[in-house]
Amino acid sequence: MKILVKLNHPAHYHLYKNLIKKLRESDDEVIVVIRNKDILKDLLDEEHENYLSLIQAKARKEGNIISIIKANVFEIILQDYKLFKIVKNEKPDVMVGTDTAIAHVGRIFKIPTYIFNEDDYIVNRLFCIFTYPFARHIVSPKVCDVGKYKHKKIEYDGYQKLAYLHPSVFKPNIEIAKKYLNSLSKYYLIRLVSFSAGHDIEKKHSGLSKSLIIKLINTLSESGNVYITSERKLIPEFEKYRLKINPKDIHHVMAFADLFISDSQSMTLEAAMLGVPSIRFNSFVGKISVLNEIEERYGLSIGLNNEYPDRLLFAVNELLKNPNLKNEYKTRRDKMLSEKINLTDFMYKLLKNESIL
């Protein structure tokens, strides 16, 4: 079988990398196609992964919704055209990705497409509007709302991050963490995002402010070291806290952190998968089903709306006072893992037409 896997973001490589390996081990042919964004190309090059590149993603410019939509539509058309030529030449049996282009091109060539998404329809509306009508299948967690496309949904009891952070496929290595920081001391990670993703097209969302980051650093520094990873440009006074790291090693560093504080949805979920105590602080809180489940059912993260900065500082202090914090989160993680699936195995069986029940 020939499978085309489309990657739009570095996180997508992590999502599919174990599936790609498993398929190749069973003598299936896998074609990797990318929309080069952030460090995706560098990550693939370092992993010696062969790929075909469609376009270079451009940084999103400021503007009104209409201008942003126009820019997105132009990019979609360009990707569709370039992917069309690849598919016409390669003739894959099936296409997989978190991607609009494979849905469009798959419809033209009548090739089954599996669109993976764990954002609710209302949260990532633009992507869903352009993608779901053309997709053959939408593969999402049980708790994820796919709007009026329930008839296309293939659901699973799990999370996308477990495709690469499930203990069966990822073992945190303290020696790797030691390359970047003093693991003998307590350390805390702060993650900042740019809020330029597709689910923030209206530019209405925000997270950690400069003044709040200063307060966090002052509080956390009293008991450990503080490190910052950031999508957005850091001001000079924060540069000394920047975690300079090879991106492929970030999960090893995350796994041993004493606390993770972020305005990122994705990395908060990763911290939860690793059982790391975490706080998410942004205006998306309460709006995303997967994160709501992590916070409310399993207690693996705390979600706080950024309208209430004092609540963040209070929560941080409460967590720091708990001497058994990491053990409590390990127990919560064990409960979560006992109830969720190994997503890589699920994806493999799905593509190979094996029973997924």
Side-chain angles (χ1 to χ4, degrees):
M1 184 165 65
K2 182 183 285 190
I3 302 102
L4 186 147
V5 180
K6 174 71 189 313
L7 310 178
N8 285 342
H9 188 278
H12 298 162
Y13 174 65
H14 292 302
L15 172 60
Y16 296 116
K17 65 184 179 183
N18 293 307
L19 172 65
I20 291 169
K21 179 181 178 182
K22 196 175 179 74
L23 287 167
R24 285 175 175 157
E25 287 173 349
S26 62
D27 293 326
D28 292 299
E29 182 179 352
V30 180
I31 305 162
V32 176
V33 180
I34 73 167
R35 165 185 175 265
N36 189 27
K37 178 176 171 58
D38 299 332
I39 58 162
L40 178 56
K41 183 179 181 296
D42 295 337
L43 181 61
L44 292 172
D45 288 340
E46 185 165 350
E47 295 293 324
H48 306 292
E49 176 64 67
N50 294 321
Y51 58 88
L52 301 172
S53 183
L54 293 187
I55 64 172
Q56 172 68 48
K58 295 181 179 179
R60 177 163 293 159
K61 297 179 181 179
E62 296 295 330
N64 58 38
I65 296 175
I66 300 301
S67 65
I68 294 173
I69 290 176
K70 284 182 178 178
N72 275 270
V73 169
F74 175 78
E75 185 174 295
I76 289 170
I77 293 171
L78 182 59
Q79 280 207 90
D80 282 2
Y81 171 70
K82 293 195 172 186
L83 184 64
F84 178 92
K85 293 198 294 184
I86 290 173
V87 171
K88 185 178 180 181
N89 181 57
E90 296 289 347
K91 297 179 175 59
D93 299 298
V94 63
M95 296 194 286
V96 181
T98 303
D99 179 67
T100 299
I102 65 168
H104 296 170
V105 177
R107 172 67 70 87
I108 293 170
F109 286 100
K110 296 183 172 56
I111 297 171
T113 54
Y114 292 86
I115 301 297
F116 283 77
N117 189 18
E118 63 179 357
D119 282 330
D120 298 301
Y121 186 95
I122 194 67
V123 173
N124 203 359
R125 190 165 47 209
L126 187 66
F127 168 80
C128 297
I129 288 171
F130 280 106
T131 308
Y132 285 3
F134 307 96
R136 180 81 63 89
H137 305 290
I138 302 164
V139 189
S140 294
K142 278 186 177 181
V143 296
C144 185
D145 179 18
V146 297
K148 64 181 180 181
Y149 298 98
K150 294 182 179 65
H151 61 287
K152 295 186 177 187
K153 183 181 180 182
I154 299 174
E155 63 180 29
Y156 60 90
D157 206 355
Y159 310 112
Q160 287 189 1
K161 275 58 178 175
L162 285 179
Y164 56 95
L165 294 177
H166 192 281
S168 67
V169 294
F170 177 73
K171 307 292 183 188
N173 187 337
I174 190 65
E175 296 304 318
I176 293 176
K178 285 178 179 178
K179 293 193 301 182
Y180 302 104
L181 44 75
N182 180 4
S183 62
L184 298 178
S185 300
K186 285 188 174 184
Y187 66 90
Y188 311 106
L189 296 182
I190 297 174
R191 169 64 175 176
L192 308 176
V193 294
S194 60
F195 291 98
S196 63
H199 49 240
D200 192 37
I201 190 171
E202 297 174 344
K203 301 290 182 182
K204 291 182 178 179
H205 294 283
S206 57
L208 291 162
S209 65
K210 173 188 171 182
S211 61
L212 193 52
I213 294 168
I214 292 171
K215 291 178 182 178
L216 282 173
I217 291 172
N218 291 337
T219 298
L220 296 169
S221 296
E222 293 179 3
S223 57
N225 297 319
V226 178
Y227 300 93
I228 297 176
T229 76
S230 181
E231 283 184 343
R232 59 191 193 242
K233 186 177 180 179
L234 290 181
I235 61 174
E237 64 188 285
F238 292 159
E239 276 296 334
K240 64 181 178 181
Y241 299 103
R242 183 188 290 276
L243 179 64
K244 297 178 181 178
I245 185 172
N246 187 323
K248 74 182 182 68
D249 293 334
I250 187 62
H251 299 120
H252 295 281
V253 172
M254 285 180 68
F256 298 100
D258 291 272
L259 182 61
F260 180 83
I261 302 170
S262 179
D263 49 24
S264 164
Q265 326 295 342
S266 182
M267 290 190 73
T268 297
L269 268 170
E270 290 178 335
M273 298 302 99
L274 295 168
V276 177
S278 64
I279 302 175
R280 178 173 59 108
F281 185 79
N282 63 29
S283 49
F284 280 105
V285 168
K287 300 176 182 178
I288 301 175
S289 296
V290 168
L291 280 156
N292 290 346
E293 182 174 80
I294 282 294
E295 293 162 3
E296 297 166 10
R297 179 172 178 175
Y298 297 109
L300 279 167
S301 185
I302 297 171
L304 297 173
N305 192 288
N306 65 337
E307 292 181 359
Y308 309 104
D310 289 344
R311 294 182 184 179
L312 173 59
L313 297 172
F314 177 82
V316 168
N317 282 303
E318 288 299 299
L319 292 178
L320 293 179
K321 287 191 295 188
N322 185 348
N324 200 40
L325 185 64
K326 296 190 82 168
N327 287 332
E328 288 179 7
Y329 272 73
K330 179 184 181 303
T331 300
R332 296 173 189 179
R333 182 199 187 217
D334 289 343
K335 173 177 169 56
M336 179 271 293
L337 290 172
S338 72
E339 297 178 0
K340 301 303 179 185
I341 65 166
N342 180 325
L343 185 58
T344 295
D345 288 347
F346 174 88
M347 292 192 290
Y348 178 82
K349 291 178 181 178
L350 180 63
L351 297 182
K352 301 288 282 185
N353 290 315
E354 298 179 14
S355 173
I356 56 175
L357 300 178

